[in-house]
Amino acid sequence: MSSSFSPRSSVSWQHYINLHEASSNFHHKQKISKICSYIMHRCVFIIFSLILLCLETATANQLAAVGGGDDKCFEKEKDGLLHFKSLLQDPSDRLSTWTAEQDNCCQWSGVTCNNQTSHVTDLDLMSFGLVGEISHSLVNLTYLNRLDLSFNSFHGTIPAIIGSLTQLRCLLLGENNLNGTIPRSIGPLTELWYLDLSSNSLYGTIPPEFGNLTNLQLLLLSNVGRCRVENLEWLSPLSHLEVLEMDGISLAKTNHWGDVILSLPKLLLLSLSGCELSQVIYPYSSKIINSSSSMESLHLRNNSLTSSMYHWLLPLTSNKLRSLSLTHNMLDGIPKYLGNLCGLEDLYFDNNFAVVTFPDFLNNLSGCTSLSLQWLSASNNQFTGSLPDEIKKFTSLTDLYLSENQLKGTISKNLWELPKLQNLDLSGNSLQGFPSSDNMPNHSDIKYIALSSCKLGPRFPKWIQTFKNLTYLDIANSGISDTIPLEFWDTWPSQLTFLNLSSNNITGKVPDLSSNFDSYSEIDLSSNSFDGPITNVSSTVRLLNLSRNKFTAGISFLCQGVHGFLFIIDLSHNSLSGQLPDCLWHFKELKVLNLEHNNLSGRLPASVASMINLEALDLYKNDFSEEFPLSVKNCTSLKSLNLGANKFSGNLPVWIGESLSGLYVLTLRSNNFSGSIPLQLCQLASLQILDLSVNHFHGSIPSCLSNLTIMVQQRVSQLQNLDRGISLGRYSYNVDHVMIQWQGVEREFVRSNMVLLRSIDLSSNNLTGEIPYQITNLDELIALNLSKNALFGKIPCNISEMKNLLTLDLSRNKFSGEIPSSMSQMTWLNYLDVSDNSLSGRIPSSTQLQSFDHSRYEGNLGLCGPPLTKQCPGDEESGIQHIIGESEGEGIDELDVWFYIGGAIGFTIGFWIACGALLLNRRGRFAFFMFLDSFEDWVYVKVVVFIANFQKRRT
């Protein structure tokens, strides 16, 4: 930051950095410290000057308050503050000191007064947890210099009276829920130095009156809402502006925006992410050759930019540029001029369309940039080639992130000789040629290594032990088939924060893990062949995933030195036995407990009740017994409860629907539950999977199942909530996981194919009565299984209203009457079984119903017509049978033949036109695949059904 930055703003720089980190969505948590050091390096004097000048009044007043001064604030200002509070909810009771009885409002929490005049000059309520509207009574605070309401839940509009607070220098309203338009009355706030409206829900045009704020130095409008700008001329008078963030504001109609930006002589940081810059036709009014840009940090992520943008990027860059973010665009490389930016330290190029060799990419950076570059992040591209010897030119490189590319071949040994390298991520590539322990240089700086999916095996890479300062190690899925040397576990005492050895074939026993890990560490040894008992684990671990191994013995180790840091415990798919120890009182922060597919037995201990934050409890396929565990009642945060394939018994308690209101998965299949299905289950509005099959339930099917809201209507907000992964740093654990009976076969559903799944399975019980007609209101239901009960009556005539039904199993009941003719309209149905009932009449004619195997209709003596061989009365006389069997005789009608031929030719031509366009049009291809990723789950369900139907029609 330039030394001319006048010390008049009380900017909280850590506040600003946090905002910038959120808006830019950087991939690596180390970015915060990097930005901090960047700012402090250039402006340590300025920051202290700002704080001292803007807060000197506050400090003096606080000292006066401590000394017991008798001055009182003005009654008018006190009344204004009390009215402001009266419109708010204060769940944290942060405004408890704001009372009429407390005369001196200068001593209220968040309020600062001038120690000489007693006027309120500073109202700082950042992160107070307040909810409500901003009161117009703030107009009483006419001497206010600083108003900080950020990081709360204020809603409603920004009051127009804000413009009357003409002495304001800092106005911070970011990170709230404010709506409406930005009031034009902000224009008179000519003393304003810091304006933050970011992360709200505002709309409309950015008012040109912002051009009156000629003293502004920081303007934060990122993610302000659905706002737009038609021209940026109002920016030109803001000659003091140093930081400008407008992420998410459309600039598609803003020609010549580059001229305006270059006219701001002090601009240091510009962030225009997600501003539709690719749609701007004329970024400049004329060709600009020489750049006068003072910019040090430039962020243009998520703008669909192609490499044609580099001609207008050039004027915005100079040797002053230190950080450049081009992530989430459609770039296929970089120009050579970026390699001549001698001050460039950070380059972000993630998530582009770079179909180039990585050696070529490096070559374009090999000018003086190679000497200054410290941070290179280019993950999720399509780089090919290997890591070449040219990497040795980048002697200042500390961080290199190239994950999820298509790199192959060997890694140059020069990589390991980079003198300042600390963090290295090459995961998701097919690299090999790692050095041996003897050839590895003594490198004490490397702390972070991620090499998952690289070819490290089959022997365990002992050379990793040469990095004595390592804190993060990920070598998952790297082809290792070996045992781990014992000295490996002692290399980093109390130092590791992350260890991922998953998805290899590592054998042997795991030693005591209580001394290797630092606070809040994560351990993933899943999907290997570790065996023996689990002895001990560090008390500071927050994630422990030992699933899919061969561990034996009990799990009493959970009780050893536990201090309650654990968020996730996954011990599933092992051979663990014994009881669940009664020491779970410590696990108040635990969110996931997965013990499925083991040999655990006994009853659940009472200490389960202490896990009040538990979201997923999975005990599937064990040997637990006793009645439904009462201790679960206190786990009110539960979203997924899977007690299937155990020996639980007794009635279902009514409190399931009352206490566990957030459940979206309830699986109790293959137990010994009895009694009737409690009506309170119908209160689970978010329930998308209900499996009560293979139990001893009796009585009727509750008609109130139609109250399961998520099975009735598919709301966008609900679908967003279905992505229920838990992220801990860079590690993401998939909570969505369930085994259900799908079309006669037990199948595992995970996040990718579970998002749209809606399933009710009440099969293999003793249910009686008719199918309640209300159940047909569940028009988003995908699978309904009522087989192997004693249900009777007719199939509801309006069952076709369940238009999304893929699977319907009504077999082995006592249903009578005809199959409703409306079922011929159920075009998505690809599995139907009505066998072994008392149905009668003709099977309705439709391509769908006749495509099922005849066994799906057998056991109904009164049924007739295809696909059954039994003819219906009058078929021979009417010639119906002859028409159906015509294909076995004279063949298909000639018109039909030409119809099929024409359809096939048209499909083929259309298919290759579309594919050809994607192959030849790089931008279109990229956009197409981005679209595919966005609708992956929807496409999965629809395409599978379409293919099944298409194949059946052809047969």
Side-chain angles (χ1 to χ4, degrees), residues 911-925:
F911 176 81
W912 283 110
I913 287 175
C915 288
L918 290 176
L919 289 171
L920 297 176
N921 188 328
R922 179 176 296 161
R923 181 174 181 180
R925 181 166 67 248

Side-chain angles (χ1 to χ4, degrees), residues 79 274 361 444 716 742 789 883 885 931:
D79 291 343
F361 184 85
S444 60
V716 174
W742 178 261
N789 279 289
I883 293 173
F931 171 81

Side-chain angles (χ1 to χ4, degrees), residues 357-403:
T357 67
F358 186 65
D360 290 342
F361 184 85
L362 273 186
N363 184 57
N364 284 358
L365 288 174
S366 60
C368 61
T369 299
S370 64
L371 301 176
S372 63
L373 197 64
Q374 299 177 18
W375 187 301
L376 175 57
S377 185
S379 299
N380 294 286
N381 288 293
Q382 297 188 45
F383 287 137
T384 58
S386 60
L387 270 174
D389 290 341
E390 285 72 21
I391 194 72
K392 66 182 179 182
K393 298 179 181 179
F394 295 79
T395 53
S396 297
L397 205 61
T398 61
D399 296 80
L400 179 60
Y401 301 98
L402 298 174
S403 63

Side-chain angles (χ1 to χ4, degrees), residues 597-617:
H597 288 273
N598 280 289
N599 300 315
L600 299 168
S601 58
R603 61 187 308 169
L604 295 190
S607 55
V608 169
S610 65
M611 299 188 293
I612 55 176
N613 289 308
L614 195 66
E615 296 181 9
L617 177 61

Side-chain angles (χ1 to χ4, degrees), residues 305-311 313 324 326-327 329-339 347-365 376 378 381-384 405 922 926:
L305 298 172
T306 63
S307 292
S308 61
M309 57 82 71
Y310 286 123
H311 74 280
L313 177 65
L324 175 62
L326 301 174
T327 65
N329 282 293
M330 302 169 64
L331 305 170
D332 57 3
I334 57 173
K336 280 187 173 294
Y337 73 73
L338 288 185
L347 175 60
Y348 299 90
F349 198 78
D350 308 277
N351 295 91
N352 274 286
F353 196 65
V355 190
V356 295
T357 67
F358 186 65
D360 290 342
F361 184 85
L362 273 186
N363 184 57
N364 284 358
L365 288 174
L376 175 57
N381 288 293
Q382 297 188 45
F383 287 137
T384 58
N405 278 286
R922 179 176 296 161
F926 181 81

